Amino acid sequence: MATVALVAHAPLPRGLKARLKQVLQRLMAELGQGDKALTLILTDDAEVRALKKAHWGEDAPTDVLSFPSYEPGDPFVPPHLGDIVISLETARRQAEALGHSLEEELRVLAAHALWHLLGHDHRSEAEWAGFHQVQARALEI
């Protein structure tokens, strides 16, 4: 089974941590990554902004970042796909603006970042299809 380490830098609603881990584990298994691991970090706007500036040179807030680390032949057991970092503050604002729960927003953001960890990007409209598909599936699980 896929391994998901979840680190929360702020309190979460009861049971949310376990549900997020379960969604990611099932999604990873469905995507053929059931033998892999990833780390999900839930933090604040300031930390996400600092990471974005340090790694991309952009001093701007964002909702989610992904840091892929997996390469074929990875010596880690299980192989580690990478890290997903989500701003809880931004996720809460987006959930409120879109009229759904924080959990739904976190599921969508985590699925989006997982798709990035698997090597996908969204530079064109056609590339967005995979993101929409995996995000929708994360809400169904």
Side-chain angles (χ1 to χ4, degrees):
M1 178 194 301
T3 303
V4 175
L6 196 153
V7 178
H9 294 174
L12 295 175
R14 185 179 183 94
L16 182 57
K17 188 174 182 177
R19 289 190 303 276
L20 287 173
K21 286 174 73 168
Q22 180 184 38
V23 166
L24 278 170
Q25 287 171 328
R26 285 193 52 196
L27 197 53
M28 289 167 69
E30 289 177 13
L31 294 170
Q33 305 299 313
D35 61 338
K36 308 271 188 326
L38 65 76
T39 303
L40 174 60
I41 301 164
L42 303 174
T43 190
D44 60 19
D45 284 346
E47 185 174 0
V48 171
R49 186 176 190 145
L51 287 168
K52 188 173 181 183
K53 185 174 183 181
H55 293 274
W56 283 273
E58 298 175 21
D59 189 11
T62 194
D63 49 8
V64 63
L65 298 171
S66 57
F67 297 93
S69 62
Y70 177 72
E71 294 184 27
D74 192 341
F76 296 104
V77 179
H80 192 262
L81 291 174
D83 299 331
I84 296 170
V85 183
I86 298 175
S87 169
L88 282 167
E89 292 171 317
T90 298
R92 280 190 181 100
R93 286 191 304 272
Q94 290 176 175
E96 186 176 306
L98 294 168
H100 58 237
S101 70
L102 174 62
E103 180 175 342
E104 288 174 294
E105 186 67 15
L106 292 173
R107 285 178 181 226
V108 167
L109 294 173
H112 182 101
L114 172 60
W115 199 240
H116 275 301
L117 291 181
L118 297 178
H120 303 279
D121 210 341
H122 42 68
R123 292 186 194 105
S124 70
E125 280 300 313
E127 290 175 317
W128 271 104
F131 286 91
H132 293 305
Q133 212 168 26
V134 76
Q135 290 169 186
R137 181 62 188 133
L139 292 173
E140 295 170 354
I141 294 174

